[in-house]
Amino acid sequence: MATTPYTLDTIPTPAYVLEEDLLRKNLQVIRHVAEQAGVEIILAFKAYALWKTFPIFREYISGCTASSPWEAQMGHEQMQCLTHTYAPIYRDEDLETILRCSGHLTFNSLGQFERFYPQVAAYEGHRISCGLRINPEYSEVETDLYNPASSTSRLGIPAADLPAKLPTGVEGLHFHTHCESNSYALERTLEVVEQKFAPQLEQVQWINMGGGHLMTEKDYDTDHLIQLLRAFKDRHPHLRVIMEPGSAFAWQTGTLVTTIEDIVERGGVRTLMMDASFTCHMPDTLEMPYQPRIRGAANSIDDRHTLAYRVGGNSCLSGDYKGDWYFASAPRVGDRLIFEDMIHYTTVKTTMFNGIVHPSIWLHKSDGSWEECRRYRYEDYLHRMD
Ligand SMILES: Cc1ncc(COP(=O)(O)O)c(C=O)c1O
């Protein structure tokens, strides 16, 4: 770990830079919602798992959700809690870790519940509360890749397949149908859930409303969310309500800082060749897909930003580029390209494809100091290929 005075213009690139101030701002919003609404809001590791920052999280929240044995182990060890665990499948060989690290365990199907419940019930380490993931078959998410609630989805049990009388041992229900959604989408979803799963809701002690609640986005109506959750709790006073966003925690908390290493022009298209990659380091820009913001550039032409450039990644994938951005003055080799909002679903999803240099991870602390949380070396690449 190194402590050095840097700026975004001098930090060695490529680098993810997490801003502690911005993270704390999000954590404050989330804690406010949790306290005002009387719900538990826990961190979904699938969006963000920079465990060296978990001490900051623990000042505001006390829980986390894991989607695999390794995430559960990390939550147990680094967040120092028993995780809420949901995974599409559990395997016999994972169960010891899952049981040791989880306080709540949600199953994706009745088959998996029936297979593993006897071991959960017999577990002597601590009490584990079991739940089932339901599929309300209602989602407003338009991108298929991120819509888990279609009628053919493998994730969750549709109402028609869930017995009105839940099996012994089921204490909770879990649904996840949102993605960067607002409170009004949740309101409409809850109407469907309450209507389709009315008998089952009576029988459980908790409901987990999944992730995708982007409550730290500037236009998110947190007052509406709080009212909505309070009203839900009034209708179901026996239920503990849990939400497990990921993106909301890390939303707009930092950047990916890169350097232009070359500029190529082919067929009238100018491409800024940077020392990072869309496919390896910003995968959602291609998968979602969306065009991220670059500091100082515009995503569409305007009076000031008239110079069009594509940006190209440094992997050999032909499609490892995005465009166009518009600049006010011509970028040069050696200039920086600072991609905004590159903390959630980046560091957890990156690859070492092509063996290209992997961005280091920095924390720019509230006191102004810089902490290099992780620098990747050749050995990291080598050992993945053992
Ligand atoms: C079951 C579950 N919970 C929580 C999340 C976190 O969602 P988000 O990061 O959009 O808030 C996801 C994301 O895929 C999920 O699948």
Side-chain angles (χ1 to χ4, degrees):
M1 232 181 259
T3 307
T4 328
Y6 279 116
T7 67
L8 294 187
D9 289 324
T10 59
I11 196 160
T13 66
Y16 295 105
V17 178
L18 170 66
E19 304 284 347
E20 181 181 347
D21 273 351
L22 299 176
L23 180 63
R24 283 187 184 275
K25 218 168 104 204
N26 285 353
L27 286 161
Q28 274 159 14
V29 171
I30 289 167
R31 181 173 61 187
H32 170 78
V33 172
E35 285 174 356
Q36 293 301 309
V39 303
E40 293 158 60
I41 306 183
I42 61 180
L43 168 68
F45 290 151
K46 64 196 94 202
Y48 177 99
L50 298 178
W51 53 267
K52 284 183 183 165
T53 63
F54 288 176
I56 303 174
F57 280 75
R58 285 208 307 274
E59 293 177 33
Y60 301 85
I61 61 163
S62 54
C64 58
T65 181
S67 42
S68 61
W70 290 351
E71 281 190 357
Q73 185 171 350
M74 182 181 64
H76 187 41
E77 291 172 4
Q78 305 296 339
M79 275 293 265
Q80 296 167 15
C81 62
L82 292 173
T83 61
H84 291 242
T85 305
Y86 157 76
I89 52 135
Y90 300 110
R91 309 180 308 161
D92 291 318
E93 49 270 59
D94 300 332
L95 213 63
E96 190 279 320
T97 306
I98 295 282
L99 297 181
R100 182 167 50 81
C101 302
S102 310
H104 291 71
L105 190 53
T106 297
F107 292 88
N108 188 52
S109 71
L110 287 164
Q112 282 255 309
F113 173 76
E114 281 154 17
R115 178 169 151 197
F116 292 113
Y117 179 64
Q119 290 173 69
V120 181
Y123 184 65
E124 289 180 350
H126 50 257
R127 192 171 187 284
I128 299 174
S129 182
C130 286
L132 292 175
R133 176 161 171 170
I134 53 173
N135 176 1
E137 297 175 89
Y138 176 85
S139 171
E140 301 185 13
V141 177
E142 282 166 9
T143 309
D144 281 349
L145 188 64
Y146 292 100
N147 177 7
S150 73
S151 55
T152 54
S153 172
R154 71 192 193 291
L155 306 173
I157 308 163
D161 295 344
L162 195 63
K165 169 89 184 69
L166 289 170
T168 303
V170 174
E171 297 179 353
L173 294 178
H174 176 291
F175 69 86
H176 170 74
T177 58
H178 297 89
C179 177
E180 298 187 3
S181 308
N182 61 28
S183 58
Y184 299 91
L186 176 61
E187 186 166 36
R188 291 184 287 271
T189 306
L190 286 180
E191 272 175 34
V192 176
V193 170
E194 287 178 274
Q195 189 254 317
K196 286 190 173 174
F197 296 91
Q200 293 92 350
L201 280 171
E202 290 302 314
Q203 299 161 50
V204 292
Q205 299 159 19
W206 52 267
I207 182 160
N208 183 326
M209 299 183 182
H213 313 283
L214 201 52
M215 54 189 88
T216 50
E217 201 264 336
K218 67 174 180 12
D219 295 328
Y220 194 103
D221 190 345
T222 47
D223 289 339
H224 176 251
L225 175 65
I226 291 166
Q227 280 166 24
L228 178 68
L229 293 169
R230 281 186 183 161
F232 180 87
K233 283 168 51 99
D234 285 346
R235 292 195 296 280
H236 308 278
H238 64 293
L239 285 182
R240 268 170 63 211
V241 174
I242 301 151
M243 302 174 95
E244 50 173 38
S247 299
F249 283 93
W251 184 252
Q252 294 188 347
T253 54
T255 52
L256 173 60
V257 186
T258 72
T259 301
I260 301 170
E261 296 292 343
D262 194 11
I263 301 174
V264 297
E265 182 163 354
R266 304 278 185 265
V269 174
R270 288 177 296 201
T271 303
L272 307 175
M273 305 286 286
M274 63 174 167
D275 60 352
S277 155
F278 291 103
T279 186
C280 300
H281 311 137
M282 301 177 264
D284 277 358
T285 62
L286 297 177
E287 286 180 12
M288 190 74 174
Y290 77 98
Q291 186 185 15
R293 281 178 299 111
I294 294 179
R295 197 166 290 185
N299 283 20
S300 54
I301 196 161
D302 61 34
D303 288 348
R304 214 160 70 74
H305 303 89
T306 55
L307 303 169
Y309 288 84
R310 202 178 254 189
V311 176
N314 58 346
S315 83
C316 295
L317 177 75
S318 345
D320 189 0
Y321 72 85
K322 299 284 300 179
D324 289 327
W325 281 270
Y326 295 85
F327 292 79
S329 58
R332 287 167 309 183
V333 170
D335 286 355
R336 301 224 151 183
L337 291 177
I338 301 173
F339 289 87
E340 303 285 3
D341 196 20
M342 278 301 158
I343 302 299
H344 54 102
Y345 291 105
T346 50
T347 48
V348 286
K349 286 181 88 174
T350 54
T351 72
M352 290 193 170
F353 176 54
N354 272 201
I356 54 180
V357 169
H358 201 276
S360 48
I361 300 172
W362 288 80
L363 176 64
H364 185 201
K365 293 186 171 180
S366 299
D367 66 8
S369 65
W370 293 73
E371 179 179 316
E372 187 176 44
C373 300
R374 182 70 153 95
R375 181 186 303 185
Y376 295 87
R377 299 168 202 282
Y378 163 68
E379 286 72 23
D380 292 306
Y381 172 68
L382 187 72
H383 292 154
R384 286 200 57 197
M385 303 300 141
D386 280 355

